[in-house]
Amino acid sequence: MLEEEWAHIRQLYIGHSPSDRMHIADFVSGSFAGACGVAVGYPLDTVKVRIQTQKQFTGIWQCAAATFSKEGVHGFFKGMSLPVTTISMTSSVVFGTYRNCLQCLSQARGGGCGPNTKLEVFLSGMAGGIAQISVMSPGDIVKVRLQCQTESKRGGINVPKPKYHGPVHCLLSIIKEEGFTGLYRGALPLILRDGPSYATYFLTYTTICEWLTDSGKKRPDWSGVMLAGGIAGMAGWTVGTPMDVIKARLQMDGARETKRYKGFFHCITETVRVEGARVFFRSLGINCLRAFPVNMVVFVTYEVLTSFLRAGPDSIDPPRLGFE
């Protein structure tokens, strides 16, 4: 009876043919994996954004201590509810686009020509990173605005109150004050961040999985998946951190004070002139510190759910190295 129910669920949500299952399973598992990643890494993401955008914070521990002292534990989770929702969607788009692009490139090359090449993995990762921008940008700017809001609701009568009361209020305020285009402020550096970083991310993951796969086997074990996911996350953020700094500054520009930047290129030149080129990597350490556990969880969740959705609960195997 249970087997019949499981078969019905698979046909209803995943599809009848292998190609149908591939298309939908990766979107579903990517969605859950992204949400898990947000839950693991959000406190460090808040510290990262504050270091990037506010000069009062000089380092990881100083920022963390000041946030906890002034705002309590809640300060590390400001604006988390909307990113959990949007990251679920964007991660779904990333993994689904990535796997579907691999399939398309494999079919264009000829289905029997073996696993995907490194170039195909790189291009598919880049496509996934760029594809999710339209979904990600509104939630990302809300996240950044709330994370940089250091005022505490617990303050007294003479203490400044927070500008935004929560994610929905922040979203509506941006639309009211800046129009719908305000939700996509920083979209260009976001594209320049996520395109190359996701390309590096998936290429690194696939390559390390291949290195960790024992001879005679097609897949690494789960410890290999976790290690590959963690290192892939660090590699992706190493590539993406400079544009992440510019993105965050453009998103915050004018929100708390007068506008400083005339646009993307002016933000880059003014940042270099005032603070030097080293500022682009000031948050690299915390990005890598956050990226390892987050992406370890993301890839394990993704691979477990994808195997579960494709083959059923009794056939959860370690990951595929490419589209086969």
Side-chain angles (χ1 to χ4, degrees), residues 101-117:
C101 283
L102 284 181
Q103 182 190 23
C104 291
L105 291 172
S106 178
Q107 290 175 344
R109 184 166 44 90
C113 297
N116 291 102
T117 65

Side-chain angles (χ1 to χ4, degrees), residues 120-133:
E120 290 171 348
V121 171
F122 185 87
L123 293 176
S124 297
M126 181 173 289
I130 294 174
Q132 48 108 37
I133 300 301

Side-chain angles (χ1 to χ4, degrees), residues 188-220:
L188 177 57
L190 195 56
I191 291 172
L192 295 177
R193 183 195 76 175
D194 285 356
S197 63
Y198 271 107
T200 304
Y201 179 64
F202 283 109
L203 179 61
T204 302
Y205 176 73
T206 302
T207 301
I208 294 177
C209 279
E210 289 180 352
W211 290 347
L212 297 177
T213 301
D214 296 330
S215 58
K217 295 185 178 180
K218 293 184 177 181
R219 303 173 176 87

Side-chain angles (χ1 to χ4, degrees), residues 50-247:
R50 292 186 173 190
I51 290 174
Q52 288 177 337
T53 58
Q54 301 181 45
K55 295 180 181 179
Q56 69 193 75
F57 300 117
T58 57
I60 297 173
W61 302 116
Q62 183 267 340
C63 179
T67 299
F68 181 77
S69 175
K70 185 176 181 180
E71 305 165 64
V73 175
H74 171 72
F76 294 99
F77 293 92
K78 284 185 173 179
M80 181 177 169
S81 57
L82 187 62
V84 166
T85 304
T86 57
I87 289 296
S88 294
M89 291 187 290
T90 58
S91 186
S92 172
V93 172
V94 169
F95 279 93
T97 301
Y98 167 72
R99 189 63 65 178
N100 281 282
C101 283
L102 284 181
Q103 182 190 23
C104 291
L105 291 172
S106 178
Q107 290 175 344
R109 184 166 44 90
C113 297
N116 291 102
T117 65
K118 295 295 190 293
L119 178 60
E120 290 171 348
V121 171
F122 185 87
L123 293 176
S124 297
M126 181 173 289
I130 294 174
Q132 48 108 37
I133 300 301
S134 61
V135 179
M136 179 182 186
S137 188
D140 190 63
I141 192 171
V142 170
K143 174 184 76 72
V144 169
R145 293 277 178 96
L146 290 174
Q147 286 175 324
C148 292
Q149 188 169 259
T150 57
E151 298 84 3
S152 176
K153 295 180 181 179
R154 301 179 302 178
I157 298 175
N158 297 323
V159 177
K161 297 297 183 181
K163 178 180 179 180
Y164 305 116
H165 305 316
V168 176
H169 180 253
C170 181
L171 184 73
L172 296 176
S173 296
I174 293 173
I175 295 173
K176 180 180 178 180
E177 296 169 6
E178 306 171 44
F180 281 99
T181 57
L183 297 176
Y184 289 88
R185 181 186 291 188
L188 177 57
L190 195 56
I191 291 172
L192 295 177
R193 183 195 76 175
D194 285 356
S197 63
Y198 271 107
T200 304
Y201 179 64
F202 283 109
L203 179 61
T204 302
Y205 176 73
T206 302
T207 301
I208 294 177
C209 279
E210 289 180 352
W211 290 347
L212 297 177
T213 301
D214 296 330
S215 58
K217 295 185 178 180
K218 293 184 177 181
R219 303 173 176 87
D221 57 24
W222 288 111
S223 62
V225 173
M226 291 189 287
L227 180 62
I231 294 175
M234 294 172 67
W237 273 110
T238 300
V239 173
T241 292
M243 283 296 107
D244 189 54
V245 173
I246 298 300
K247 184 265 309 178

Side-chain angles (χ1 to χ4, degrees), residues 1-10 313-314:
M1 183 66 179
L2 289 176
E3 292 181 358
E4 292 178 358
E5 291 179 357
W6 172 244
H8 176 69
I9 292 172
R10 289 179 64 202
D314 298 324

